[in-house]
Amino acid sequence: MELYTPVLVLAALAALFAVGSVAMSTLVGPRRYNRAKYDSYECGIEPTPQALTGRFPVKYYITAMLFIVFDIEIIFLYPWAVRFDAMSWFGLVEMVLFIATVFVAYAYVWRRGGLDWD
């Protein structure tokens, strides 16, 4: 049990910090609310009645998904870099195939105009 004591202490500190932050923001934070605070806010574009009736542009979400894909690629690169010596040539070939697949997807999105901000 003594091996888990630092982990439990860290978890307790994290929970205490989370609960304390929420409690302090409720106690100390401003209580003046106005109409602007209740309005929805999307990427710097103020909502208009026309935008609610027309098609919603999904370009923001597509770009966000692209960033997520490339972030996940980076997450897979870290363990590979740490264990590269143990994997030898097999690890190198697997990572080249992985990066090539992601690069093909990136080239496809670029070619289709997914990265243009028109």
Side-chain angles (χ1 to χ4, degrees), residues 12-25:
L13 283 173
L16 182 67
F17 179 75
V19 171
S21 296
V22 171
M24 287 304 291
S25 69

Side-chain angles (χ1 to χ4, degrees), residues 3-4 8 15 19-20 25 28 34 36 52 54 58 61 71 80 88 97 103 115 117:
L3 292 174
Y4 295 108
L8 293 175
V19 171
S25 69
V28 181
N34 56 20
L52 297 175
V58 295
Y61 297 109
D71 287 345
W80 172 78
S88 186
L97 290 174
F103 181 72
L115 302 175
W117 286 95

Side-chain angles (χ1 to χ4, degrees), residues 38-62:
Y38 289 118
D39 280 345
S40 58
Y41 181 78
E42 182 66 35
C43 298
I45 301 172
E46 293 187 21
T48 59
Q50 180 186 10
L52 297 175
T53 59
R55 287 184 62 187
F56 186 78
V58 295
K59 195 129 185 120
Y60 299 114
Y61 297 109
I62 291 173

Side-chain angles (χ1 to χ4, degrees), residues 26-103:
T26 305
L27 294 173
V28 181
R31 290 179 177 80
R32 291 177 284 139
Y33 296 104
N34 56 20
R35 185 173 165 231
K37 285 192 177 186
Y38 289 118
D39 280 345
S40 58
Y41 181 78
E42 182 66 35
C43 298
I45 301 172
E46 293 187 21
T48 59
Q50 180 186 10
L52 297 175
T53 59
R55 287 184 62 187
F56 186 78
V58 295
K59 195 129 185 120
Y60 299 114
Y61 297 109
I62 291 173
T63 306
M65 286 188 284
L66 286 173
F67 281 120
I68 289 171
V69 166
F70 292 116
D71 287 345
I72 290 172
E73 178 188 6
I74 296 300
I75 289 171
F76 282 127
L77 283 174
Y78 279 120
W80 172 78
V82 170
R83 297 295 298 171
F84 178 70
D85 290 339
M87 291 185 290
S88 186
W89 285 101
F90 176 75
L92 180 64
V93 170
E94 289 296 321
M95 192 49 65
V96 166
L97 290 174
F98 176 71
I99 291 175
T101 305
V102 172
F103 181 72

